[in-house]
Amino acid sequence: MKNVLVIYYSQSGQLESIARNIAKPFLNSEEINVVFHEIQLEKPFPFPWNKTTFFDAFPESFLQIPTVLKPVPDDILNTKFDLVLLHYQVWYLTPSIPMNSFLKSADGKNILNNTPVITINGSRNMWIMAQEKVKVLLKEANAKLVGNVALVDRVGNLISVITIVNWMFSGVKKRYLGFFPLPGVSEKDIQESDQFGEVMLTQFKQNKLEDLQPKLAEIGAVKISPYLVTVDKTANKIFDKWSNFIHKNQKKRKLLLKLFYVYLFLAIWLISPIVYILHVISYPFKIKTIKKETQYYQGV
């Protein structure tokens, strides 16, 4: 009997739904014992969010400052797992505070030590740099990253901003104003995510997890947008300056967060379209670099 641990943190329930769908093939195998663990915080973040708490989470999210978690149950800590399916969200281009806190915790490092890990993220669209940060944390935990799946909102960048914000602030997954698309990862993609679980299970049973990622990429587990990679990298440099400045000036925190909100609004609605135009113009001159980056980010 092999042991598989499914880890997730979910406010809206979307990531939990993804986790349970991907795990279906494992649950149907009599040779595998599947355990689910939902990361829980001593002081939970609100859902739905309000504007103040949403932006107040920015500095600590980006700087990867952990918060206090509730203890992992002893039965999980006392079990040696043969595989971990690690599901996380992206907050401010970084793994969420709950997931970051887990990966940095003593319990997290104990569970992941010398263990194969498959990461699965559910995000609006930009996840590349967050995954790079997860890679570092997994390496520090002595875990072995063997696969990655990225499930994203398929609608356009600016439209998804509107729909996701409405969802986060209302707590209801609905068509904003009655005609915008539903926010988040589509229900179709969530329901069909068990196909990734099938591939994971096959490689796991054959003890060939080292060959897993190319097979996942073949069936669309990781799709790369060169434009979003550029935006992600650029925004990370800017967020680094903002987050450090705010965190180091706690007396002016409220004011600085308001200024950050204004900056973010302008960046999304004015700067990102300009970046897109520049990307289209420069694309023919960067084809080799883009192909190399795409190959790298589709791997582990």
Side-chain angles (χ1 to χ4, degrees):
M1 181 71 73
K2 290 187 175 182
N3 296 306
V4 173
L5 179 62
V6 180
I7 301 173
Y8 67 93
Y9 168 81
S10 183
Q11 289 181 300
S12 68
Q14 175 178 271
L15 201 61
E16 179 179 3
S17 182
I18 290 170
R20 293 192 179 278
N21 273 280
I22 287 181
K24 278 182 181 178
F26 291 89
L27 290 167
N28 292 333
S29 175
E30 295 180 355
E31 307 163 13
I32 298 173
N33 174 45
V34 180
V35 178
F36 287 85
H37 173 61
E38 180 180 9
I39 296 170
Q40 296 186 351
L41 286 66
E42 285 290 353
K43 185 179 179 182
F45 287 99
F47 189 80
W49 294 82
N50 59 55
K51 184 178 174 181
T52 300
T53 54
F54 183 81
F55 286 100
D56 191 59
F58 161 64
E60 287 70 29
S61 290
F62 190 82
L63 295 174
Q64 296 180 264
I65 297 173
T67 190
V68 181
L69 304 179
K70 290 186 178 180
V72 177
D74 288 339
D75 58 337
I76 292 178
L77 291 175
N78 295 330
T79 300
K80 175 56 183 172
F81 291 95
D82 302 287
L83 177 65
V84 172
L85 306 185
L86 190 75
H87 301 72
Y88 72 94
Q89 302 157 321
V90 177
W91 290 8
Y92 293 104
L93 311 180
T94 305
S96 71
I97 289 177
M99 181 53 67
N100 170 64
S101 301
F102 174 80
L103 291 172
K104 289 186 174 184
S105 70
D107 285 351
K109 290 180 178 179
N110 179 52
I111 290 168
L112 298 173
N113 180 46
N114 197 30
T115 304
V117 175
I118 300 171
T119 50
I120 300 101
N121 75 75
S123 62
R124 184 172 71 86
N125 56 19
M126 282 184 276
W127 57 270
I128 293 289
M129 298 311 293
Q131 179 68 6
E132 292 301 294
K133 296 169 189 177
V134 168
K135 288 180 183 179
V136 173
L137 294 172
L138 289 175
K139 186 175 182 180
E140 291 175 352
N142 194 35
K144 184 180 180 183
L145 179 61
V146 295
N148 179 48
V149 174
L151 293 170
V152 301
D153 190 331
R154 291 177 179 267
V155 304
N157 184 41
L158 297 182
I159 292 176
S160 67
V161 170
I162 297 171
T163 58
I164 290 290
V165 167
N166 179 257
W167 185 19
M168 294 300 98
F169 289 176
S170 71
V172 181
K173 190 172 185 177
K174 61 183 179 181
R175 293 183 183 276
Y176 180 56
L177 299 179
F179 63 86
F180 275 90
L182 284 171
V185 180
S186 73
E187 190 60 31
K188 181 175 183 291
D189 284 348
I190 292 175
Q191 293 302 319
E192 293 179 354
S193 63
D194 60 346
Q195 66 178 313
F196 305 129
E198 292 283 1
V199 175
M200 295 172 190
L201 177 62
T202 298
Q203 297 302 114
F204 181 54
K205 284 186 172 181
Q206 295 177 358
N207 294 315
K208 292 183 178 179
L209 287 173
E210 67 277 4
D211 300 327
L212 172 63
Q213 190 56 26
K215 295 184 182 300
L216 286 175
E218 283 177 9
I219 59 173
V222 181
K223 296 180 180 178
I224 308 297
S225 164
Y227 160 63
L228 291 177
V229 171
T230 300
V231 175
D232 200 343
K233 288 182 176 180
T234 303
N236 262 268
K237 294 176 183 177
I238 298 170
F239 277 18
D240 181 61
K241 291 180 172 60
W242 271 105
S243 59
N244 276 290
F245 187 56
I246 295 170
H247 189 67
K248 290 175 182 177
N249 291 274
Q250 291 296 327
K251 290 183 179 180
K252 299 180 180 179
R253 184 181 178 103
K254 289 184 179 180
L255 173 61
L256 293 175
L257 284 171
K258 288 180 180 179
L259 293 175
F260 173 70
Y261 166 74
V262 173
Y263 159 75
L264 196 59
F265 181 87
L266 294 174
I268 291 171
W269 296 104
L270 294 179
I271 300 174
S272 66
I274 295 172
V275 172
Y276 180 73
I277 294 170
L278 293 174
H279 169 74
V280 172
I281 294 172
S282 63
Y283 184 86
F285 306 100
K286 301 190 298 183
I287 291 178
K288 287 186 178 179
T289 301
I290 288 172
K291 285 183 177 179
K292 187 176 180 180
E293 282 189 341
T294 298
Q295 185 178 18
Y296 170 75
Y297 292 127
Q298 283 185 327
V300 292

